[in-house]
Amino acid sequence: MLSCSERPQMVAPVREDVTEDQLKAAGAIEAQASVEQELLPADQAPVLSKMAKYHGPQRSGDIVMIQSEHTGAIDILSADLESADLLGDHRKVSPPLMAPPCIWTFAKMKEFKSKLGKEKNSRLVVKRGEVVTIRVPTHPEGKRVCWEFATDDYDIGFGVYFDWTPVTSTDITVQVSDSSEDEDDDEEEEEEIEDPVPAGDVERGSRSSLRGRYGEVMPVYRRDSHRDVQAGSHDYPGEGIYLLKFDNSYSLLRNKTLYFHIYYTS
């Protein structure tokens, strides 16, 4: 019969996938803890000793079990916590990058203005300090959006953005605001987005503060639309609404007469 002192010791099996480096790291932690333990008061030494024996998960998928000394309850934590969705709906998601548009100009200014001047809803005045946004939904029978525009006497800022939102109507609508900042504020209040991004300069190419579900096709730059007809097209990236912005916010004195033609092709 074996005495108590001769009872065989139970040794926990070592996982085959534990590397030699991990065992050395564990030994180093325990050695450091034993040195620090000598410098602590007697009531804190046992706590440090227990902490030294705890090793974090070595890789994704490892499980950590923590047992309370007071209630005996066991909590199970996973090493995948860092990749869990801890931010919920507040996680910031950037819109997809947009393919560049095709842009060109042509010189038949007089013929272009004469034709559009006779058509309904193809001519408008962008007042000084204003930004006009033409909202163009993607069409189920189309594959790309196309635009052509010109102005009388003076240039105007122009840029294109894309709103990744479900299309409920194919009607083209026009929105007028006092400035690009005011227009962006209206969009942010509608979406309840925080941390506004400052708008840029039309002279250098503005970076609109439209964010979240908005993609930038081309930033707003001043175009010489009083000299040549400005034209372009962009392939549909998916379902949504194009925002064609005509920016006269930089002008303090002059209104701009705008002639435009917007259509889709298949």
Side-chain angles (χ1 to χ4, degrees):
M1 179 178 296
L2 297 175
S3 63
C4 293
S5 59
E6 297 175 344
R7 182 174 301 172
Q9 300 293 321
M10 299 298 294
V11 180
V14 179
R15 287 171 45 182
E16 294 181 358
D17 56 352
V18 176
T19 65
E20 182 179 352
D21 291 340
Q22 293 173 356
L23 294 176
K24 290 181 179 180
I29 294 175
E30 292 185 0
Q32 181 179 359
S34 62
V35 173
E36 294 177 353
Q37 184 175 347
E38 298 178 357
L39 304 177
L40 291 175
D43 56 342
Q44 296 185 16
V47 176
L48 182 58
S49 177
K50 292 181 180 180
M51 292 177 61
K53 295 179 180 179
Y54 168 78
H55 307 299
Q58 302 297 329
R59 61 186 184 279
S60 177
D62 285 356
I63 299 298
V64 178
M65 299 178 64
I66 301 178
Q67 183 175 13
S68 171
E69 294 183 354
H70 301 286
T71 64
I74 296 178
D75 292 330
I76 300 178
L77 304 178
S78 170
D80 294 330
L81 283 178
E82 292 183 356
S83 61
D85 188 7
L86 302 179
L87 298 178
D89 295 336
H90 297 287
R91 172 177 290 181
K92 296 182 179 179
V93 179
S94 299
L97 294 177
M98 308 297 291
C102 296
I103 56 175
W104 64 92
T105 63
F106 57 91
K108 296 182 179 180
M109 177 77 73
K110 186 176 180 180
E111 295 86 344
F112 180 78
K113 291 182 179 180
S114 177
K115 178 182 177 181
L116 293 184
K118 299 175 183 178
E119 296 183 5
K120 186 179 180 180
N121 300 326
S122 294
R123 178 179 176 273
L124 57 84
V125 175
V126 184
K127 296 182 179 180
R128 57 187 179 88
E130 284 187 346
V131 176
V132 170
T133 301
I134 301 179
R135 301 174 64 88
V136 186
T138 54
H139 198 281
E141 298 179 0
K143 292 184 178 180
R144 68 183 58 85
V145 64
C146 304
W147 59 84
E148 300 169 344
F149 69 92
T151 52
D152 285 339
D153 303 324
Y154 306 103
D155 64 2
I156 195 168
F158 177 73
V160 181
Y161 297 84
F162 188 80
D163 183 356
W164 293 90
T165 186
V167 174
T168 58
S169 172
T170 57
D171 294 339
I172 297 176
T173 59
V174 178
Q175 177 183 353
V176 181
S177 60
D178 292 337
S179 68
S180 58
E181 290 85 354
D182 292 342
E183 186 177 38
D184 294 343
D185 289 343
D186 293 340
E187 297 286 352
E188 288 171 3
E189 290 176 2
E190 179 180 339
E191 298 181 47
E192 297 182 356
I193 298 178
E194 299 179 355
D195 301 331
V197 177
D201 187 346
V202 177
E203 295 280 359
R204 295 174 296 174
S206 69
R207 296 294 178 181
S208 173
S209 57
L210 296 177
R211 293 160 293 114
R213 69 176 190 230
Y214 295 92
E216 182 181 80
V217 178
M218 56 187 297
V220 176
Y221 277 101
R222 292 175 66 170
R223 318 285 174 170
D224 290 332
S225 50
H226 60 305
R227 297 176 179 172
D228 298 297
V229 178
Q230 308 291 311
S233 67
H234 189 257
D235 292 342
Y236 289 174
E239 181 183 10
I241 300 175
Y242 281 95
L243 309 178
L244 278 64
K245 292 182 171 293
F246 295 94
D247 193 333
N248 197 32
S249 61
Y250 59 89
S251 181
L252 302 178
L253 301 175
R254 299 184 179 95
N255 300 334
K256 310 292 174 64
T257 301
L258 174 68
Y259 304 82
F260 63 94
H261 181 210
I262 301 171
Y263 56 99
Y264 70 87
T265 62
S266 57

